[in-house]
């Protein structure tokens, strides 16, 4: 076709338009190019007179080499030339001939090929006989025949569905396997499209894939298509491979598609994926359910795991009595494997016990779940009707699957699963799938039962913990100081924040204890450990502190005695075996050893001096008031030797004395205020000091500011905070005198008391005070040593103190009828609101206290005649 003159393309006749179009639609690369058809002609003289270009390619000879030559001499070997000449003569006589002719292969180094020649007699213009020879390379024919046979075998005998789509995306050819699946004869599928076989969504996907392959030439591998064969309802799954098909010239002529039925493989893969998904779901549930000891939180964790991975909607109902702390468990029914049920549920005719919906989750809608009964909102209390699936599941402790629903119902399948823990039903879990999702099966039932059981165990554990937590919290709060503590010379504010339900109650405590002489003991402690055991230990130590404080011991002595008590708490034989228990503590179970930290401070409002001892506790913080016009002073950590925690034993405690100026702020606290897993202790202490930088504001505001500023992570640990602002006693509220050791000091003491009380407006206490002061000074002269010191203190009560240098403590006794003395302390005990004695660094102090007029118990007691007679026999 390359030899056609150009003028042939320019001559256009309207009637030949379709011929011209057909001419241009047949570019090089047709079947003739594959077959390699060549032609030449033989003239009347038996010589070659025309030689085509294809003949040049086939035989490797140019026209100049062969035109005018005998074809037999030119192509055939010598041994065949005699027969060849006879054949040529017959052809020129008008006989057609077809045969195989060997020839030399161009460039073949002398090799011979075989050509199939079709010889057709012709006539010239002069009516002379000639011949036209059409030559085909036999090798090309055999190759085409072999390719066609192989193609037909592959296409026709393939066990896979095979389609050939044209450029218009219609079926050009289908194999027998495809026709077997989709019905009809092979020829009937010609001209169809994928929409004749697949539902619209899948057909659109397939069409788009065919168009993309045809346009880009990029093959598509394992395109998953789902559809139903004609006359069948069940869906089948096919894996389709598409590739573009080209003609000899490289022009795309269509798209070939091979489809493999992978339904079984798909079902097996889906089954395996379901098993893997359920295993992953159970593994996730093991990590995420039960992280909190809160019932509602645990229920929400169950839904967080299951929605949307397992279902589309879910809800959890728990028994109202369980949430309210009702621990009345029914006896187990007779029969193995039968869980016990709450009261009112054993008889199916009795309405079920009330439940409360504690959690709901949805991946598709916020509407309440209604798959197993009426819609219920979170927080609502409800009962399941006796015949409802929910009531039956609770009563039998067996899960139930509810299929279907109304046309307007969002839910198509619901699993109702009772939550059973320790053979007790604690609630009900519902899992629902909406329309369009796969309904629940038996495998899903087993998974749901396992999930509900795990959550039920965690919920029951949370219930048991909540009960212990509440008891420990009640015990702990009952041991803390009631109301706002008051102290002479101190403005006090305190905060106590217990751990939440997610953490166990700790052993933190604080106390404010009034001591003789208007002194005050400030105590903050922390028992190591949590739960009811720590709360009990805290109560025992707090009681011991108050008892030791009333003995008016020095702070270091108080901590030493507390250390003995703490070791006694962990020893089987009590405090008597504490030392031996401490020696064996290294080899014993440390969970039975009570350890605690404590800081004990005693403040004297007269001297504004604070004596502090520390047993492994956080250091106190002191903030001194700023000078007028000066910036605030930085908060200081008092350098008190920390000592060992209580219960360790073997180490003495030290104490330090700190002078507190007027307006200074002293803060005692537990480690929960400054220590956290998220930051080091030093950072917490620095934050506390910064929060206390302005001590001038009201003390309650300072407490709130500290708790609001520090990252306390409240709930991880208990927090106790005790703050005291120093006020001190006014100078005119103190009377302090030194008395010589002589008899006239008794009268001098009475005179000093009689002169001081009217200045304080306490004329009503003159007689009682004068009498009791006289008794104490007299005892100091008789039984004491060194100089005598008399001190009167006015605050909320009137306190009288008499000091001497003798360490022997006086004791109250009943005087005999013949004794002239011995009734002084007996008289002091009857006329005062309280009295006592304490040791000092240089002797002892005996004191008594009288209530002020106008206060509760203001009038001093009067001795009756019977009391006087008893005193003197």
């Amino acid at each position: 076709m390359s030899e056609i003159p150009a003028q042939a393309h320019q001559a256009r006749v309207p009637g030949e338009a379709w011929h011209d179009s057909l001419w241009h639609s047949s570019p090089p690369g047709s079947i003739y190019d594959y077959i390699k058809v060549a032609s030449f002609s033989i003239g009347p003289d038996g010589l070659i007179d025309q030689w085509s270009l294809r003949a040049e390619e086939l035989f490797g000879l140019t026209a100049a080499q062969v035109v005018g030559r005998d074809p037999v001499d030119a192509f055939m070997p010598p041994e065949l030339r005699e027969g060849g000449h006879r054949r040529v003569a017959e052809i020129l006589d008008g006989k057609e001939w077809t045969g195989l002719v060997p020839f030399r292969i161009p460039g073949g180094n002398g090799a011979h090929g075989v050509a199939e020649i079709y010889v057709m007699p012709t006539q010239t213009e002069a009516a002379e006989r000639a011949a036209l020879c059409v030559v085909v390379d036999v090798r090309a024919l055999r190759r085409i025949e072999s390719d066609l046979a192989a193609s037909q075998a592959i296409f026709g005998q393939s066990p896979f569905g095979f389609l050939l789509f044209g450029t218009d995306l219609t079926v050009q050819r289908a194999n027998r396997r495809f026709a077997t699946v989709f019905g009809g004869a092979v020829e009937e599928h010609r001209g169809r499209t994928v929409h004749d076989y697949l539902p619209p969504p899948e057909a659109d996907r397939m069409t788009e894939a065919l168009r993309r392959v045809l346009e880009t030439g990029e093959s598509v591998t394992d395109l998953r298509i789902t559809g139903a064969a004609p006359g069948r309802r069940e869906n089948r799954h096919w894996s389709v491979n598409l590739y573009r098909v080209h003609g000899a010239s490289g022009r795309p002529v269509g798209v070939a598609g091979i489809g493999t039925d992978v339904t079984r493989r798909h079902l097996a893969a889906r089954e395996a994926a379901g098993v893997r998904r359920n295993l992953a779901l159970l593994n996730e549930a093991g990590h995420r359910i039960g992280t909190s000891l809160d019932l509602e939180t645990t229920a929400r964790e169950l839904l967080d795991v299951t929605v949307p991975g397992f279902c589309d909607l879910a809800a959890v109902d728990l028994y109202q009595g369980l949430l309210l702390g009702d621990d009345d468990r029914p006896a187990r029914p007779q029969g193995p494997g039968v869980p016990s049920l709450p009261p009112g549920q054993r008889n199916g005719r009795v309405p079920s016990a009330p439940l409360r919906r504690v959690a709901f989750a949805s991946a598709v809608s916020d509407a309440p779940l209604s798959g197993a009964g009426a819609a219920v909102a979170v927080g609502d209390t409800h009962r399941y009707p006796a015949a409802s699936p929910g009531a039956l599941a609770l009563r039998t402790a067996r899960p139930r699957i509810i299929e279907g629903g109304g046309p307007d119902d969002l839910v198509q399948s619901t699993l109702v699963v009772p939550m059973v823990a320790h053979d007790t039903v604690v609630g009900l879990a519902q899992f629902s799938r909406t329309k369009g999702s796969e309904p629940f099966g038996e495998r899903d039932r087993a998974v749901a039962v396992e999930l509900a059981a795990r959550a039920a165990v965690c919920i029951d554990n949370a219930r048991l913990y909540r009960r212990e937590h509440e008891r420990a919290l009640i015990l702990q709060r009952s041991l803390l100081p009631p109301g706002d503590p008051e102290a002479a010379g101190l403005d006090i504010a305190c905060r106590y924040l217990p751990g939440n339900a997610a953490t166990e109650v700790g052993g933190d405590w604080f106390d404010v204890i009034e001591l003789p002489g208007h002194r005050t003991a400030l105590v903050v402690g922390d028992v190591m450990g949590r739960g009811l055991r720590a709360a009990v230990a805290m109560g025992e130590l707090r009681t011991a502190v108050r008892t030791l404080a009333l003995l008016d011991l020095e702070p270091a002595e108080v901590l030493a005695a507390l250390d003995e008590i703490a070791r006694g708490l962990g020893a089987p034989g009590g405090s008597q075996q504490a030392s031996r228990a401490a020696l064996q503590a290294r080899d014993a179970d440390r969970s039975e050893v009570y350890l605690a930290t404590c800081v004990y401070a005693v403040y004297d409002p007269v001297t504004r001096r604070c004596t502090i001892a520390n047993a492994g506790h956080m250091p106190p913080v002191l903030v001194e008031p700023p000078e007028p016009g000066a910036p605030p002073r930085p908060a200081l950590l008092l350098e008190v030797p920390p000592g060992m925690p209580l219960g360790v034993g073997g180490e003495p405690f030290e104490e330090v004395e700190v002078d507190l100026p007027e307006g200074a702020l002293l803060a005692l606290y537990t480690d929960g205020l400054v220590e956290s897993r998220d930051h080091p202790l030093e950072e917490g202490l620095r934050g506390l000091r910064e929060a206390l930088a302005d001590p001038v504001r009201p003390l309650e505001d300072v407490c709130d500011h500290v708790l609001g500023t520090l990252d306390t992570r409240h709930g991880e640990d208990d927090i106790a905070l005790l703050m005291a602002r120093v006020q001190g006693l006014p100078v005119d509220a103190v009377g302090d005198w030194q008395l010589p050791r002589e008899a006239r000091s008794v009268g001098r003491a009475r005179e000093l008391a009689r002169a001081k009380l009217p200045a304080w407006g306490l004329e009503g206490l003159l007689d009682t005070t004068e009498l009791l002061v006289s008794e104490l000074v007299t005892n100091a002269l008789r039984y004491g040593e060194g100089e005598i010191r008399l001190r009167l203190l006015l605050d909320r009560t009137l306190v009288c103190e008499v000091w001497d240098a003798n360490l022997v403590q006086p004791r109250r006794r009943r005087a005999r009828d013949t004794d002239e003395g011995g009734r002084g302390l007996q008289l002091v005990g009857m006329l005062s609101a309280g009295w006592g004695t304490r040791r000092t660094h240089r002797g002892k102090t005996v004191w008594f206290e009288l209530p002020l007029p106008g206060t509760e118990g203001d009038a001093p007691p009067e001795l009756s005649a019977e009391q006087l007679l008893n005193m003197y026999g």
Side-chain angles (χ1 to χ4, degrees):
M1 294 191 301
S2 60
E3 301 173 5
I4 301 223
Q7 291 81 356
H9 296 280
Q10 299 175 357
R12 299 182 181 274
V13 193
E16 296 179 354
W18 70 275
H19 290 288
D20 186 63
S21 174
L22 180 63
W23 181 270
H24 283 286
S25 66
S26 300
S30 65
I31 186 65
Y32 298 104
D33 291 323
Y34 287 102
I35 300 177
K36 296 186 181 301
V37 178
S39 65
F40 64 91
S41 61
I42 302 175
D45 56 359
L47 302 179
I48 298 174
D49 60 359
Q50 288 186 357
W51 187 255
S52 68
L53 295 179
R54 284 288 179 87
E56 288 186 8
E57 296 176 4
L58 179 62
F59 295 104
L61 299 173
T62 64
Q65 293 175 308
V66 296
V67 172
R69 293 183 60 185
D70 187 337
V72 175
D73 295 336
F75 305 126
M76 300 184 66
E79 64 271 14
L80 299 177
R81 289 175 182 174
E82 182 178 357
H85 285 117
R86 289 196 303 269
R87 293 292 185 187
V88 171
E90 293 176 356
I91 294 169
L92 294 178
D93 288 340
K95 183 178 179 182
E96 291 187 1
W97 179 80
T98 300
L100 299 177
V101 177
F103 66 93
R104 290 187 297 272
I105 299 176
N109 297 323
H112 289 74
V114 178
E116 186 171 350
I117 300 181
Y118 302 88
V119 183
M120 295 167 286
T122 61
Q123 287 185 348
T124 64
E125 296 179 355
E128 295 178 319
R129 294 190 178 182
L132 176 63
C133 302
V134 179
V135 185
V136 179
D137 190 344
V138 174
R139 294 173 303 165
L141 288 177
R142 299 296 178 265
R143 186 166 57 249
I144 291 174
E145 290 175 357
S146 176
D147 291 345
L148 288 175
S151 174
Q152 182 61 33
I154 293 174
F155 194 83
Q157 302 174 20
S158 172
F160 310 115
F162 203 113
L163 287 177
L164 180 62
F165 295 91
T167 54
D168 58 353
L169 303 185
T170 60
V171 176
Q172 301 297 313
R173 188 176 179 185
N175 70 345
R176 186 179 299 105
R177 174 60 181 169
F178 183 86
T180 301
V181 175
F182 287 92
V186 172
E187 295 76 11
E188 295 177 5
H189 293 277
R190 185 183 301 274
R192 293 184 181 181
T193 66
V194 293
H195 287 82
D196 296 319
Y197 306 106
L198 301 174
E202 295 291 81
D204 293 341
R205 288 181 57 232
M206 184 73 174
T207 301
E208 180 61 28
L210 288 169
R211 185 176 291 109
R212 186 168 62 253
V213 171
L214 187 62
E215 292 175 354
T216 66
E218 296 180 358
S219 301
V220 172
T221 303
D222 196 21
L223 174 65
R224 293 303 177 95
I225 297 296
T226 303
R232 300 180 182 179
R233 299 183 58 184
E234 69 277 4
N235 277 335
R236 308 294 295 178
H237 299 268
W238 291 282
S239 173
V240 178
N241 298 325
L242 303 175
Y243 59 92
R244 191 167 67 182
V245 180
H246 303 83
S249 64
R251 180 175 58 89
V253 297
V255 177
I258 301 175
T260 305
D261 191 336
V262 293
T263 303
R264 290 185 179 179
R265 188 194 313 167
H266 173 80
L267 295 178
R270 188 174 65 177
E271 184 74 16
V275 172
R276 288 194 300 268
R277 183 178 63 251
N278 291 338
L279 290 176
L281 188 69
L282 294 175
N283 182 62
E284 183 183 10
H287 288 87
R288 296 181 58 184
I289 298 177
T291 61
S292 169
L293 288 172
D294 180 74
L295 278 72
E296 291 84 353
T297 302
T298 303
R300 288 192 295 270
E301 289 172 345
L302 171 62
L303 303 193
D304 291 341
V305 171
T306 56
V307 178
F310 179 71
C311 60
D312 300 317
L313 300 94
V316 175
D317 298 325
L318 297 180
Y319 281 111
Q320 179 77 347
L322 187 76
L323 297 169
L324 296 178
D326 182 8
D327 196 35
D328 294 334
R329 294 190 174 207
R332 296 183 181 181
Q334 296 297 323
V338 181
S340 61
L341 305 175
Q345 242 191 312
R346 304 225 183 140
N347 190 335
R349 295 170 296 179
V350 180
S352 62
L355 298 101
R356 184 195 304 172
R357 180 146 296 175
V358 296
F360 170 77
S362 171
V364 294
S365 173
D366 293 331
L369 187 68
S370 58
V376 180
V378 174
D380 288 354
T381 301
H382 65 102
R383 297 174 185 267
Y384 285 106
S388 66
L392 293 175
L394 288 170
R395 188 160 54 248
T396 61
R398 298 289 186 271
R400 290 177 174 269
I401 298 181
I402 307 169
E403 298 291 352
D408 299 330
D409 194 353
L410 178 68
V411 175
Q412 75 154 347
S413 182
T414 299
L415 260 173
V416 183
V417 184
M419 305 178 70
V420 182
H422 306 128
D423 293 336
T424 301
V425 178
V426 299
L428 187 73
Q430 296 184 55
F431 308 102
S432 292
R433 291 178 179 172
T434 57
K435 291 182 177 178
S437 300
E438 183 180 358
F440 287 113
E442 289 302 319
R443 184 180 66 247
D444 299 318
R445 182 203 296 259
V447 172
V449 170
E450 177 65 22
L451 291 172
R454 292 191 181 191
V457 170
C458 295
I459 287 174
D460 195 55
N461 291 339
R463 177 191 63 82
L464 296 174
Y465 170 77
R466 173 182 287 185
R467 182 182 63 182
E468 180 177 345
H469 181 274
E470 291 175 350
R471 292 178 179 178
L473 193 58
I474 291 173
L475 174 61
Q476 189 177 47
R477 287 177 174 171
S478 67
L479 296 174
L480 294 175
D484 295 328
E486 296 181 357
L490 291 177
D491 181 16
I492 295 179
C494 53
R495 295 290 186 274
Y496 175 74
L497 301 178
N500 56 31
T503 59
E504 294 187 77
V505 173
D508 294 14
W509 91 91
F510 70 91
D511 210 344
V512 178
I513 307 170
E514 294 185 43
L515 301 178
H518 292 312
R519 294 172 303 124
T520 303
L522 304 176
V523 189
V524 171
D526 184 4
V527 175
M528 298 181 186
R530 296 185 180 278
L532 192 59
R533 176 180 176 273
V536 171
M538 179 271 287
E540 294 177 332
L541 290 179
R542 178 180 179 272
T543 303
V545 169
R546 296 190 70 88
T547 303
L548 294 170
L550 295 178
L551 295 177
D552 216 347
L553 302 175
E554 295 296 327
E557 294 177 335
V558 171
L559 293 185
L562 277 178
D563 182 54
E564 293 290 337
I565 293 173
R567 285 188 290 163
L569 294 177
S575 59
Q576 295 180 354
Q577 298 185 13
S579 299
R580 184 171 60 185
L583 294 176
Q584 297 174 350
R586 298 176 183 175
D587 302 324
D589 183 4
R590 299 298 296 177
S591 63
E592 295 300 326
V593 177
Y594 286 78
L595 298 178
T597 63
C598 180
V599 60
Y600 185 89
V602 175
Y603 171 69
D604 189 340
V606 179
T607 62
R608 294 190 181 90
R609 182 170 298 165
C610 188
T611 306
I612 308 173
N614 191 350
H617 200 76
M618 296 285 105
V621 178
L622 175 64
V623 186
E624 297 185 356
E627 297 292 339
R633 296 180 178 179
L636 302 175
L637 295 177
L638 293 181
E639 295 182 359
V640 181
M644 299 298 292
L646 303 177
V648 175
E651 294 293 333
F653 297 97
E654 300 180 38
E655 60 186 39
V656 296
E657 290 187 350
V658 181
D659 291 327
L660 304 180
E662 185 77 17
L665 180 64
L666 182 67
L668 308 179
Y669 51 94
T670 56
D671 57 358
L673 182 66
V674 295
E675 193 172 20
S676 172
R677 292 175 296 181
D678 300 333
H679 57 74
L681 177 61
E682 291 75 11
E683 182 179 338
L685 291 173
R686 183 171 60 252
L688 174 61
R689 293 170 58 192
E690 294 173 355
L692 292 172
D694 183 11
V696 180
R697 68 175 69 181
L699 201 56
E700 294 290 339
D701 294 345
V702 175
C703 283
D704 295 336
H705 177 69
V706 168
L707 294 178
T709 303
L710 295 182
D711 185 13
T712 60
R713 301 286 180 179
H714 173 49
E716 293 182 359
D717 195 3
D718 292 2
I719 296 175
L721 175 62
L722 178 61
M723 290 189 180
R725 174 170 289 145
V726 176
Q727 295 176 342
L729 289 180
V731 177
D732 57 359
V734 179
D736 196 348
W737 304 277
Q738 296 286 345
L739 299 175
R741 198 169 178 76
E742 53 189 36
R744 62 187 181 88
S745 293
V746 177
R748 177 59 179 165
R750 288 198 298 266
E751 292 175 1
L752 293 173
R754 181 169 290 277
K756 193 65 175 178
L757 264 59
W760 290 342
L762 301 179
E763 292 83 354
L765 299 180
L766 278 175
D767 295 337
T768 304
T769 304
E770 185 179 2
L771 175 59
L772 299 184
V773 166
S774 175
E775 290 294 337
L776 293 187
V777 174
T778 300
N779 283 345
L781 286 173
R782 286 185 178 181
Y783 310 110
E785 297 176 359
E787 286 190 341
I788 299 172
R789 183 179 178 185
L790 171 64
R791 190 165 76 169
L792 295 178
L793 306 176
L794 176 63
D795 192 68
R796 290 171 296 165
T797 61
L798 176 65
V799 174
C800 175
E801 298 177 333
V802 176
W803 299 4
D804 68 77
N806 193 344
L807 293 175
V808 178
Q809 300 288 321
R811 62 184 181 87
R812 185 176 177 180
R813 64 184 180 86
R814 175 176 290 277
R816 293 174 294 183
D817 297 344
T818 57
D819 291 343
E820 294 183 2
R823 298 176 179 84
L825 293 181
Q826 202 171 355
L827 185 63
V828 172
M830 290 182 178
L831 293 179
S832 65
W835 77 280
T837 179
R838 68 176 184 273
R839 289 179 296 175
T840 64
H841 295 293
R842 296 182 299 275
K844 67 176 180 298
T845 300
V846 183
W847 58 271
F848 68 83
E849 183 177 23
L850 294 176
L852 302 182
T855 60
E856 184 178 355
D858 55 350
E862 296 182 359
L863 296 181
S864 63
E866 183 178 356
Q867 290 175 318
L868 290 173
L869 290 175
N870 289 336
M871 289 178 59
Y872 293 95

